[in-house]
Amino acid sequence: MDFALTGEQETWRDTAAKYLADERAAGDSDRTWADVTGLGWLDSELGTVELALLAEQLGHARSPLPWWSTIGLAGPALRAAGREPRRPATLAWAEEAGPGTLAALLAPHRPGGGMSCTVAADGTVRGRKVAVPHAAEAVDLVVAVAGPDGVELRLVDASALRPAPTDAGPAGLDPTRPAGTVELSGVASTPLVAADASGDVLAAIRRRTLALLAAEAVGVATRALAWAVGYATTRTQFGRPIGANQAVAHPLADLYGQVETARSLAYRAAWSVDAEPGPVADRAVAAAAVAGREAATAACETAIQTYGGSGFTWEQPLHHWYRRAWWLATFDGTVADLRAELAASLLDGASGQDAPGR
Amino acid sequence: MDFALTGEQETWRDTAAKYLADERAAGDSDRTWADVTGLGWLDSELGTVELALLAEQLGHARSPLPWWSTIGLAGPALRAAGREPRRPATLAWAEEAGPGTLAALLAPHRPGGGMSCTVAADGTVRGRKVAVPHAAEAVDLVVAVAGPDGVELRLVDASALRPAPTDAGPAGLDPTRPAGTVELSGVASTPLVAADASGDVLAAIRRRTLALLAAEAVGVATRALAWAVGYATTRTQFGRPIGANQAVAHPLADLYGQVETARSLAYRAAWSVDAEPGPVADRAVAAAAVAGREAATAACETAIQTYGGSGFTWEQPLHHWYRRAWWLATFDGTVADLRAELAASLLDGASGQDAPGR
Amino acid sequence: MDLRDSAEEAAFRAGLRDWLARSVPVTTGTAGAPARGRWDDVDAVRSFSAALHEAGYAGLTWPVEYGGRGLSPVHQAIYLEESARAEAGEHIGVIGLGMVGPTVIACGSPAQRAWYLPRILTGEIIFCQGFSEPEAGSDLSAVRTLARRDGDELVVTGRKVWSSYAHLADHCLLLARTDPDATRHRGLSCLLVDLRTPGVTVRPIRQMTGEAEFAEIEFDEVRVPLDAVVGEIGDGWRVAMTTLAHERGTFGFTLTARLEVAFRRLVATARARGRDTDPLVRDQIAARYVELEGLRWTNRRALAELRRTGTPGPETSVVKLRWSQAHQRLTALAVLLTADGRPDGWDRYWRREMLRSRANTIEGGTSQVLRNVIAERVLGLPRSY
Amino acid sequence: MDLRDSAEEAAFRAGLRDWLARSVPVTTGTAGAPARGRWDDVDAVRSFSAALHEAGYAGLTWPVEYGGRGLSPVHQAIYLEESARAEAGEHIGVIGLGMVGPTVIACGSPAQRAWYLPRILTGEIIFCQGFSEPEAGSDLSAVRTLARRDGDELVVTGRKVWSSYAHLADHCLLLARTDPDATRHRGLSCLLVDLRTPGVTVRPIRQMTGEAEFAEIEFDEVRVPLDAVVGEIGDGWRVAMTTLAHERGTFGFTLTARLEVAFRRLVATARARGRDTDPLVRDQIAARYVELEGLRWTNRRALAELRRTGTPGPETSVVKLRWSQAHQRLTALAVLLTADGRPDGWDRYWRREMLRSRANTIEGGTSQVLRNVIAERVLGLPRSY
């Protein structure tokens, strides 16, 4: 039992942090994408712990890159078909009258969730997908469609789509996390995952994505806490640093505790995704997602309060992180939905009795 | 629109406070009962605001008197039959397999809640009542029984019961709020409220009792806050009063806000019970009960924390008030139940749309 | 204790409600969601303000001799409740009517009263307040803006921030230091300054919502006549406290009435999204209702105290503190209710309201400072800061 | 990073689990609810402690030369997890094993080691800790108990409070002032005192649960030989800090394992009362689970740091703070689940646990003090007190 990051993992994390702190990372997104490909962030041998360490740093930097959708949403489906995710990619699953979330798509009592996008015998796909993350940026588009035997995952080249996928604006508060609509008007597609395996792959996609976003949330929280501590140490009022007031310092101490426990859960969930996939990893991921999301929102809110007046100005960068925190808080459901999922795992069915043991 | 207490109301409150602060009030309960009867606390002309002011002071003093059950639980039924509550009285409604709470008894979808206590044609009543507040102390026992046309309220002389009502111990944490079992083995009873009026009277009983207990909770909270402020002002640590720490002072400031809003709601609910009985008063009472109960628990918990080590000793009287606060928090349902009732009133049915207006 | 309107109050309320129903312009955003921004259309605000004045609803509590109606704070409270429920806009001179006017009545010279008061009522003059400074923050006695005497004039140099709607205003009630050698709250003075005077620069402060409700005002050697001083030179602390006391008076009613509007919209949103049957959502809505009601009746209790004793009761101090938390919780809940990725106007509306609400625990006294004040002045705890 | 037990750890865990299954006495209260009070039956605790020692589970991390097993903190953590899950009692010398013994090993004389350590392991000697005082509270450097030198003896006079299980103990690690002229943390010394010495009076402190887990100890001219001093005279602050550091070491595992037992009982209670289908209850149970898991994995993270660097990571400081809140929330929820007036043993059990939990945010460092420590020492904020 050893929870310590290895020296390699620490170097990996620190290299990412260093790159993201450089202004080059905030520049042109094509160049940044080329950089991160070169840095190995899309390599297939990376474990989920290594990916989570990256996600944490991307959250810390509030990177706009569609890396998370490429690796988290599209990656498992591409890899299941022996392909490597190299280009910006995403997954299209939500439909207007069909499944809104991955959780709904996977819900056992409604397999497929009433999906209306279909695939024909010649492999062309037809229908409309909504709320597709990074729809306008993605080059490789993994689409979930209803085939004759159930849900299939197929690959569509976004450049072949007419009309092109649209950017319908931010899916929430964060403009760097846009979502859009994808019209599939009988466009050619390549098979990735057949109906008999799609349930497992979609579950793996959701597990991995939620684990990465939990780590990203911890990165957001860490950055906000660091800003708040810095401000509380340097800003003076009534003749002394404001951090000398327990009214300022104690919420930051509480926040530190919240962020560190969220970090423990995020690392543990990432480890669990690879080491113990199934109900144990699902619980680990849900717990990490709840704690990470709550920590990110709380950290930004406490930081804004610590900054006082300047905290809610546009010029103060805090609100960009707060927007990301809110996007995270509502991706594929809320923390209340995640707690409901945990409760079902803990309280319902035979496995419930043993659940608390892990 | 005038929310100020009248001079008479203030005098009434202060007289009660003065009596309860005297050690005579903490003495023999028969003598105290005689005293409060003499002070007019059972008089029929008292409005619910005056009663709430008394209840607040009784909570402040954590009086063990069965006054609340006499005036709140039994009073409306006795008065509906032209009788005056003069002796310790209570209401017996709960049954093992029947209604557990007054709310359940009143629930529109299960009138009577499957009650098994019955009244025969000769007026004798038969069955078993459980969780009867002050069962062993009450002399007049109002019992809810199933008659041929529905729920009736009837009067039983407790001294006629064989076996005598038992004190089954505290109904929760507070030993001064005991409950017991009443065996009705074909004992004579006097009619108080017939089936056609019992729903309204029971609703009035619940409204009044919850309003009085909301005020009692405010009294509990006020006392705990006052203790905590006193201790924070006089106890020194690290060379200064502990109240000079924002970590001590700010929770007390928050608590003050919580207690004062709860007080506003408690007074308003008491006024509403007389002035606007029906859904408006029901909402006012539920809101006051939620706020009062939460304030009482929070006040005691904050006070215990403020006292530090001595706060959780038996010798420190705080825990007696904390026990009362917990009894209040769970009487006839929890705050979650009360919020569910409020939500139904606000969100369901036609009246929902206008509800927030009052 | 009688919580019903008196006959006279009921008549006032009925007349007002009737007038509002006829006079409030209807503005609706996308898909039934409210139009954004109370002050987006300044011309509409101006014309509504003129209508308010004409109908006699501007300066309700001002003495009749200064153009007011001489009514009680209860009427003001009724006005605030009803106009919020009707979703009516505010008079464009909200700071002039509520704070500067009463300060001029209490501390100003006859000439100041004669010139400013009628113009505030009609909306001809729009005031903002210049108290906060970048370095002073919550500590007003640390004000550094200097007003140097030069003959019959004061020459003002300094910078003010967080001035509400200063970019709409043409006048400012300014707190400045007239005696640079006196420390803390001594040596301050309050001035009535025309913002069109040379040397004044107003820059809107963009909030994290993307909008600008506040501005910073820079004074660079701005020459102000000596008769612009309210009260005496060196009397600024007392005058400023008078202004802030008026801010606290019935301001709780404004805040609570806004919260009630928000609560109604929350209920409407929950219904529109089909979330009103979710037990967790119902529990939250009920909790928000209890908070709203607690504020509403605490306001009325404080008002009774104000009417009886002339000063608001200590309960007043908790209203802003608890209102800000209640509003933040309400808007966060609403964002969660509309976070399912189905845009319908309400989602954008609530996100903007939620972001805006984060300022509630900072603007007009941070929650930390309010807790200090309650602990020290209401509870009598030792000074902790 | 590998969160699985190593082969060696897994074997240790399996052996322990097996031993516990055979050796933990079964005690059950009314209607399946747990029997009350971990220490109600002292004889049972004594005999279980002897069994623990015999099986080699006492002093796991102590060096082999002092009778320990010389195992890593990970083994200690596994021991704590498994014994809590098995609902096993604690060794009667929990303070001696976890705090006093390690202090004697680190700072004591060879003679002290030879005499005390084996007796602590067997349970022959039961230690308590005498640090807190009525006036000192959270401020240990304000200790007033005096140990006056008189020839080869020290004469101790003073009063200690909040000493856990002092009424069961026969020895005390006492922090006293040997130099009355030195202020604060100078001039203190740590002594090993036999509580059966004339002049010692132990009075149990009754808690609000009605039980007594703590005691106050009065010393009235108690004569203690000079060789009872641990380390040097005047070295007491350093020695006491060593003791407290050992308290913090793997104590988080004890707390978290107790919380896990409580969580399992919460789930059992919810099921027994048919409340496990209520969405509000389910939401709360899931929230408590996330808190428990957060503590569990934070402990393991801190342990990894301890193993690599010899000092626990800064995360350790948050465990007690968050554990105490999590435990209070859990027990309050359980009381609400059993508050329907139907007594079944669980209701009394949870009420007692809930009352007891109110001390969690006070005992062993109040939450306020812990926040000060985190703010100052971990976050580097300026001193605020």
Side-chain angles (χ1 to χ4, degrees), chain A residues 168 170 172-173 235-238 240 245 247-248 301 304-305 308-315 319 322-323 326 329-330 334 336, chain C residues 134-139 162 184 205-210 214 332 335-336 339 351 354-355 358-359 361-362 366-368 384-385:
Chain A
L173 278 162
R235 164 81 172 174
T236 58
Q237 282 267 281
F238 300 101
R240 56 179 194 162
N245 292 288
V248 172
E301 290 176 354
I304 290 168
Q305 186 71 24
S310 69
F312 64 96
T313 59
W314 185 271
E315 282 65 34
H319 71 95
Y322 189 43
R323 289 165 185 273
W326 264 103
T330 54
T334 65
Chain C
E135 294 309 311
S138 293
D139 180 9
W162 307 121
R184 309 295 299 162
I205 299 174
R206 195 176 176 204
Q207 297 151 229
M208 66 181 184
T209 57
F214 302 90
V335 170
L336 289 174
R351 282 184 208 131
M354 186 278 292
L355 284 178
R358 298 318 305 177
T361 45
I362 298 169
T366 69
S367 294
Q368 295 98 322
S384 66
Y385 48 100

Coordinates of all heavy atoms in Angstrom, one line a residue, chain A residues 168 170 172-173 235-238 240 245 247-248 301 304-305 308-315 319 322-323 326 329-330 334 336, chain C residues 134-139 162 184 205-210 214 332 335-336 339 351 354-355 358-359 361-362 366-368 384-385:
Chain A
A168 N -22.6 26.1 -30.4 CA -23.8 26.8 -29.9 C -23.5 27.6 -28.6 O -24.4 28.0 -28.0 CB -24.9 25.7 -29.6
P170 N -21.2 28.4 -24.9 CA -20.7 27.6 -23.8 C -21.8 26.7 -23.2 O -22.9 27.1 -23.2 CB -20.3 28.7 -22.8 CG -20.9 29.9 -23.2 CD -21.1 29.8 -24.7
G172 N -22.8 26.1 -20.4 CA -22.7 26.5 -19.0 C -22.0 27.8 -19.0 O -22.2 28.7 -19.9
L173 N -21.3 28.1 -17.9 CA -20.7 29.4 -17.7 C -19.3 29.6 -18.4 O -18.9 30.7 -18.5 CB -20.5 29.6 -16.2 CG -21.8 30.1 -15.5 CD1 -21.6 29.9 -14.0 CD2 -22.0 31.6 -15.8
R235 N -2.4 41.6 1.0 CA -3.3 42.8 1.1 C -3.4 43.2 2.6 O -3.8 42.4 3.4 CB -4.6 42.3 0.5 CG -5.8 43.3 0.9 CD -5.8 44.4 -0.1 NE -7.1 45.2 0.1 CZ -7.3 46.4 -0.5 NH1 -6.4 46.9 -1.3 NH2 -8.4 47.0 -0.2
T236 N -3.2 44.5 2.8 CA -3.4 45.0 4.2 C -4.7 45.8 4.3 O -5.1 46.5 3.4 CB -2.2 45.8 4.6 OG1 -2.0 46.9 3.7 CG2 -0.9 45.0 4.7
Q237 N -5.3 45.8 5.4 CA -6.5 46.6 5.8 C -6.4 46.8 7.3 O -6.0 45.9 8.0 CB -7.8 45.8 5.5 CG -8.1 45.7 4.0 CD -9.1 46.8 3.7 OE1 -10.3 46.8 3.9 NE2 -8.6 47.9 3.2
F238 N -6.9 48.0 7.7 CA -6.8 48.3 9.2 C -5.4 48.0 9.7 O -5.2 47.6 10.8 CB -7.8 47.5 10.0 CG -9.2 47.7 9.5 CD1 -9.9 46.8 8.7 CD2 -9.9 48.8 9.9 CE1 -11.2 47.0 8.3 CE2 -11.2 49.1 9.6 CZ -11.9 48.1 8.8
R240 N -2.9 45.8 8.8 CA -2.3 44.5 8.9 C -2.8 43.6 7.8 O -3.9 43.9 7.2 CB -2.4 43.8 10.2 CG -3.9 43.7 10.6 CD -4.0 43.0 12.0 NE -5.4 42.5 12.2 CZ -5.8 41.6 13.0 NH1 -4.9 41.1 13.8 NH2 -7.1 41.3 13.1
N245 N -6.8 38.1 10.1 CA -8.2 37.9 10.6 C -8.6 36.5 10.5 O -8.6 35.9 9.4 CB -9.2 38.8 9.8 CG -8.9 40.3 10.0 OD1 -9.2 40.8 11.1 ND2 -8.4 40.9 9.0
A247 N -11.5 35.5 10.4 CA -12.6 35.5 9.5 C -12.1 35.3 8.1 O -12.9 34.8 7.3 CB -13.4 36.8 9.6
V248 N -10.9 35.6 7.8 CA -10.3 35.4 6.5 C -9.6 34.1 6.5 O -9.7 33.3 5.6 CB -9.4 36.6 6.0 CG1 -8.7 36.2 4.8 CG2 -10.2 37.8 5.9
E301 N -15.4 30.5 -4.7 CA -16.2 31.4 -4.0 C -15.5 32.0 -2.8 O -15.6 33.2 -2.5 CB -17.5 30.6 -3.6 CG -18.4 30.4 -4.8 CD -19.6 29.5 -4.5 OE1 -19.8 29.1 -3.3 OE2 -20.4 29.4 -5.4
I304 N -13.0 34.5 -4.1 CA -13.7 35.8 -4.5 C -14.0 36.6 -3.2 O -13.7 37.8 -3.2 CB -15.0 35.5 -5.3 CG1 -14.6 34.9 -6.7 CG2 -15.8 36.8 -5.4 CD1 -15.8 34.4 -7.4
Q305 N -14.5 35.9 -2.2 CA -14.8 36.6 -1.0 C -13.5 37.2 -0.3 O -13.5 38.3 0.2 CB -15.5 35.7 0.0 CG -16.1 36.3 1.3 CD -17.2 37.2 1.0 OE1 -18.0 37.1 0.0 NE2 -17.4 38.2 1.9
G308 N -12.5 40.4 -1.8 CA -13.4 41.5 -1.6 C -13.8 42.1 -3.0 O -13.9 41.4 -4.0
G309 N -13.9 43.4 -3.0 CA -14.3 44.2 -4.1 C -13.7 43.7 -5.4 O -14.4 43.5 -6.4
S310 N -12.4 43.6 -5.4 CA -11.7 43.3 -6.7 C -12.0 41.9 -7.1 O -11.9 41.5 -8.3 CB -10.2 43.5 -6.6 OG -9.7 42.5 -5.7
G311 N -12.5 41.0 -6.2 CA -12.8 39.6 -6.5 C -13.9 39.4 -7.5 O -13.9 38.4 -8.3
F312 N -14.8 40.4 -7.6 CA -15.8 40.2 -8.6 C -15.7 41.1 -9.8 O -16.7 41.3 -10.6 CB -17.2 40.2 -8.0 CG -17.7 41.4 -7.4 CD1 -18.4 42.4 -8.1 CD2 -17.4 41.7 -6.1 CE1 -18.9 43.5 -7.5 CE2 -17.8 42.9 -5.5 CZ -18.6 43.8 -6.2
T313 N -14.5 41.6 -10.0 CA -14.3 42.4 -11.3 C -13.9 41.4 -12.4 O -13.4 40.3 -12.2 CB -13.2 43.4 -11.1 OG1 -12.0 42.7 -10.8 CG2 -13.5 44.4 -10.1
W314 N -14.2 41.9 -13.6 CA -13.8 41.1 -14.8 C -12.3 41.0 -14.9 O -11.8 39.9 -15.3 CB -14.4 41.8 -16.0 CG -14.2 41.0 -17.3 CD1 -13.1 41.0 -18.1 CD2 -15.0 40.0 -17.8 NE1 -13.2 40.1 -19.1 CE2 -14.4 39.4 -18.9 CE3 -16.3 39.5 -17.4 CZ2 -15.0 38.4 -19.7 CZ3 -16.9 38.5 -18.1 CH2 -16.3 38.0 -19.3
E315 N -11.6 42.0 -14.5 CA -10.1 42.0 -14.7 C -9.4 41.0 -13.8 O -8.4 40.4 -14.2 CB -9.6 43.4 -14.4 CG -9.8 44.4 -15.5 CD -11.2 44.7 -15.8 OE1 -12.0 44.7 -14.8 OE2 -11.6 44.9 -16.9
H319 N -12.7 34.8 -11.9 CA -14.0 34.4 -12.4 C -13.9 33.4 -13.5 O -14.8 32.6 -13.7 CB -14.8 35.6 -12.8 CG -14.4 36.3 -14.0 ND1 -15.0 36.1 -15.2 CD2 -13.5 37.3 -14.2 CE1 -14.4 36.8 -16.1 NE2 -13.5 37.6 -15.5
Y322 N -13.8 30.3 -11.8 CA -15.1 30.0 -11.2 C -16.1 29.5 -12.3 O -16.9 28.6 -12.1 CB -15.7 31.3 -10.6 CG -16.9 31.2 -9.8 CD1 -17.1 30.1 -8.9 CD2 -18.0 32.1 -9.9 CE1 -18.2 30.0 -8.1 CE2 -19.1 32.0 -9.1 CZ -19.2 30.9 -8.2 OH -20.4 30.8 -7.5
R323 N -16.0 30.1 -13.5 CA -16.8 29.6 -14.6 C -16.5 28.1 -14.9 O -17.4 27.3 -15.1 CB -16.6 30.5 -15.8 CG -17.2 31.9 -15.7 CD -16.7 32.8 -16.7 NE -17.2 34.2 -16.5 CZ -18.3 34.6 -17.0 NH1 -19.1 33.8 -17.7 NH2 -18.8 35.8 -16.7
W326 N -18.0 25.9 -12.3 CA -19.4 25.7 -12.5 C -19.7 24.7 -13.7 O -20.6 23.9 -13.7 CB -20.2 27.0 -12.7 CG -20.8 27.5 -11.5 CD1 -20.3 28.5 -10.7 CD2 -22.0 27.0 -10.8 NE1 -21.1 28.6 -9.6 CE2 -22.1 27.7 -9.6 CE3 -22.9 26.0 -11.1 CZ2 -23.2 27.5 -8.8 CZ3 -23.9 25.7 -10.3 CH2 -24.1 26.5 -9.1
A329 N -19.2 21.5 -12.3 CA -20.2 21.1 -11.3 C -21.4 20.5 -12.0 O -22.2 19.9 -11.3 CB -20.6 22.3 -10.5
T330 N -21.6 20.8 -13.3 CA -22.8 20.4 -13.9 C -22.6 19.5 -15.1 O -23.5 19.1 -15.8 CB -23.6 21.6 -14.4 OG1 -22.8 22.5 -15.2 CG2 -24.1 22.4 -13.2
T334 N -25.4 16.7 -11.9 CA -24.9 17.5 -10.8 C -24.4 16.6 -9.7 O -24.4 15.4 -9.8 CB -26.1 18.3 -10.2 OG1 -27.0 17.4 -9.7 CG2 -26.7 19.1 -11.3
A336 N -25.7 16.2 -7.0 CA -26.9 15.5 -6.4 C -27.1 14.2 -7.2 O -27.4 13.1 -6.6 CB -28.1 16.4 -6.4
Chain C
P134 N -9.6 52.5 -3.3 CA -8.9 51.2 -3.6 C -8.1 50.7 -2.4 O -8.2 49.5 -2.0 CB -7.9 51.6 -4.7 CG -8.4 52.8 -5.3 CD -9.2 53.6 -4.3
E135 N -7.4 51.6 -1.7 CA -6.6 51.2 -0.5 C -7.4 51.1 0.8 O -7.1 50.3 1.7 CB -5.4 52.1 -0.3 CG -4.4 52.1 -1.4 CD -4.0 50.7 -1.8 OE1 -3.6 49.9 -0.9 OE2 -4.1 50.3 -3.0
A136 N -8.5 51.8 0.8 CA -9.3 51.9 2.1 C -10.2 50.6 2.3 O -10.4 50.1 3.4 CB -10.1 53.1 2.2
G137 N -10.7 50.2 1.2 CA -11.6 49.0 1.3 C -12.7 49.2 2.3 O -13.5 50.1 2.2
S138 N -12.8 48.2 3.2 CA -13.9 48.3 4.2 C -13.6 49.4 5.3 O -14.5 49.7 6.1 CB -14.0 47.0 5.0 OG -14.4 46.0 4.1
D139 N -12.5 50.0 5.2 CA -12.1 50.9 6.3 C -12.2 52.4 5.8 O -11.2 53.0 5.3 CB -10.6 50.6 6.7 CG -10.1 51.5 7.8 OD1 -10.9 52.3 8.4 OD2 -8.9 51.4 8.1
W162 N -16.0 51.5 -6.6 CA -17.3 50.8 -6.2 C -18.4 51.8 -6.0 O -19.2 51.7 -5.2 CB -17.1 50.0 -4.9 CG -16.0 49.1 -5.0 CD1 -14.9 49.1 -4.2 CD2 -15.8 48.1 -6.0 NE1 -14.0 48.1 -4.6 CE2 -14.6 47.5 -5.7 CE3 -16.5 47.7 -7.1 CZ2 -14.1 46.4 -6.5 CZ3 -16.1 46.6 -7.8 CH2 -14.8 46.0 -7.5
R184 N -7.2 59.1 10.7 CA -8.5 58.3 10.8 C -9.7 59.2 10.5 O -9.7 59.9 9.5 CB -8.6 57.7 12.2 CG -7.3 56.9 12.7 CD -7.0 55.7 11.8 NE -8.1 54.7 11.9 CZ -8.3 53.7 11.0 NH1 -7.4 53.6 10.0 NH2 -9.3 52.9 11.1
I205 N -16.5 50.0 -13.9 CA -15.8 48.8 -13.5 C -16.6 47.6 -14.0 O -17.8 47.4 -13.7 CB -15.7 48.7 -12.0 CG1 -14.9 49.9 -11.4 CG2 -15.0 47.4 -11.6 CD1 -14.9 49.9 -9.9
R206 N -15.9 46.8 -14.9 CA -16.6 45.7 -15.4 C -16.6 44.6 -14.4 O -15.6 44.1 -13.9 CB -15.9 45.2 -16.7 CG -16.7 44.3 -17.6 CD -15.9 44.0 -18.8 NE -16.6 43.0 -19.7 CZ -15.9 42.2 -20.5 NH1 -14.6 42.4 -20.7 NH2 -16.6 41.4 -21.2
Q207 N -17.8 44.0 -14.1 CA -17.9 43.0 -13.1 C -17.7 41.6 -13.8 O -17.7 41.5 -15.0 CB -19.3 42.9 -12.5 CG -19.6 44.2 -11.7 CD -21.1 44.4 -11.7 OE1 -21.6 45.5 -12.0 NE2 -21.9 43.4 -11.5
M208 N -17.7 40.6 -13.0 CA -17.4 39.3 -13.6 C -18.6 38.8 -14.4 O -18.5 37.8 -15.1 CB -17.0 38.3 -12.5 CG -17.9 37.9 -11.5 SD -17.1 36.7 -10.4 CE -18.5 36.3 -9.3
T209 N -19.8 39.4 -14.2 CA -20.9 39.1 -15.1 C -20.6 39.6 -16.5 O -21.4 39.3 -17.4 CB -22.2 39.7 -14.6 OG1 -22.0 41.2 -14.5 CG2 -22.6 39.2 -13.2
G210 N -19.7 40.5 -16.7 CA -19.4 41.2 -17.9 C -20.1 42.6 -18.0 O -19.8 43.3 -18.9
F214 N -20.9 49.4 -11.5 CA -20.1 50.3 -10.6 C -19.1 51.0 -11.5 O -18.9 50.7 -12.6 CB -19.3 49.4 -9.6 CG -20.2 48.6 -8.7 CD1 -20.5 47.3 -9.1 CD2 -20.7 49.0 -7.5 CE1 -21.3 46.5 -8.4 CE2 -21.5 48.2 -6.7 CZ -21.8 46.9 -7.2
A332 N -27.8 29.8 -6.9 CA -27.0 28.6 -7.2 C -28.0 27.4 -7.4 O -27.7 26.6 -8.4 CB -26.0 28.3 -6.0
V335 N -29.4 27.8 -10.9 CA -28.4 27.4 -11.9 C -28.4 25.8 -12.1 O -28.4 25.3 -13.2 CB -27.0 27.9 -11.6 CG1 -26.0 27.3 -12.6 CG2 -27.0 29.4 -11.8
L336 N -28.4 25.2 -10.9 CA -28.4 23.7 -11.0 C -29.7 23.2 -11.7 O -29.7 22.2 -12.4 CB -28.3 23.1 -9.6 CG -26.9 23.3 -9.0 CD1 -26.9 22.8 -7.5 CD2 -25.8 22.6 -9.8
A339 N -29.3 23.4 -15.5 CA -28.0 23.0 -16.0 C -28.0 21.8 -16.8 O -27.0 21.1 -17.0 CB -27.1 22.8 -14.8
R351 N -27.7 32.1 -14.6 CA -26.2 32.1 -14.5 C -25.7 33.5 -14.3 O -24.8 33.7 -13.4 CB -25.6 31.6 -15.8 CG -25.7 30.1 -15.9 CD -24.9 29.6 -17.1 NE -25.5 28.3 -17.5 CZ -25.9 28.0 -18.8 NH1 -25.7 28.9 -19.7 NH2 -26.5 26.9 -19.0
M354 N -26.6 34.4 -10.7 CA -25.7 33.7 -9.8 C -24.4 34.4 -9.7 O -23.9 34.7 -8.6 CB -25.6 32.3 -10.2 CG -24.9 31.4 -9.2 SD -23.1 31.5 -9.4 CE -22.9 30.7 -11.0
L355 N -23.8 34.7 -10.8 CA -22.5 35.4 -10.8 C -22.6 36.7 -10.1 O -21.8 37.1 -9.2 CB -22.0 35.6 -12.2 CG -21.4 34.4 -13.0 CD1 -21.0 34.9 -14.4 CD2 -20.2 33.9 -12.2
R358 N -22.6 36.7 -6.2 CA -21.3 36.6 -5.4 C -20.9 37.9 -4.9 O -20.1 37.9 -3.9 CB -20.2 36.0 -6.3 CG -20.5 34.6 -6.9 CD -21.1 33.6 -5.9 NE -20.4 33.4 -4.7 CZ -20.9 32.6 -3.7 NH1 -22.0 32.0 -3.9 NH2 -20.2 32.5 -2.6
A359 N -21.3 39.0 -5.5 CA -20.9 40.3 -4.9 C -21.7 40.7 -3.7 O -21.4 41.5 -2.9 CB -21.1 41.4 -6.0
T361 N -22.2 39.4 -0.8 CA -21.5 39.2 0.5 C -20.3 40.2 0.6 O -19.6 40.1 1.6 CB -21.1 37.8 0.7 OG1 -20.4 37.3 -0.5 CG2 -22.2 36.9 1.0
I362 N -20.1 41.0 -0.4 CA -19.0 41.9 -0.4 C -19.5 43.4 -0.5 O -19.1 44.2 0.3 CB -18.1 41.7 -1.6 CG1 -17.5 40.2 -1.5 CG2 -17.0 42.7 -1.7 CD1 -16.8 39.8 -2.8
T366 N -18.8 44.0 3.7 CA -18.6 42.6 3.5 C -19.2 41.8 4.7 O -19.4 42.4 5.8 CB -17.1 42.3 3.5 OG1 -16.5 42.5 4.8 CG2 -16.3 43.1 2.5
S367 N -19.5 40.6 4.5 CA -20.0 39.8 5.6 C -19.1 39.7 6.8 O -19.6 39.7 7.9 CB -20.3 38.4 5.0 OG -21.3 38.4 4.1
Q368 N -17.8 39.7 6.5 CA -16.9 39.7 7.6 C -17.0 40.9 8.5 O -17.0 40.8 9.7 CB -15.4 39.6 7.1 CG -15.1 38.3 6.3 CD -15.2 38.4 4.8 OE1 -16.0 39.1 4.3 NE2 -14.2 37.8 4.1
S384 N -12.5 42.5 18.0 CA -11.7 41.3 17.5 C -10.9 41.7 16.3 O -10.3 40.8 15.7 CB -12.7 40.2 17.2 OG -13.4 40.6 16.0
Y385 N -10.8 42.9 16.0 CA -10.0 43.2 14.7 C -9.1 44.4 14.9 O -9.2 45.1 16.0 CB -11.0 43.4 13.6 CG -12.1 44.3 13.8 CD1 -12.1 45.6 13.4 CD2 -13.2 43.9 14.6 CE1 -13.1 46.5 13.6 CE2 -14.3 44.8 14.8 CZ -14.2 46.1 14.3 OH -15.3 46.9 14.6

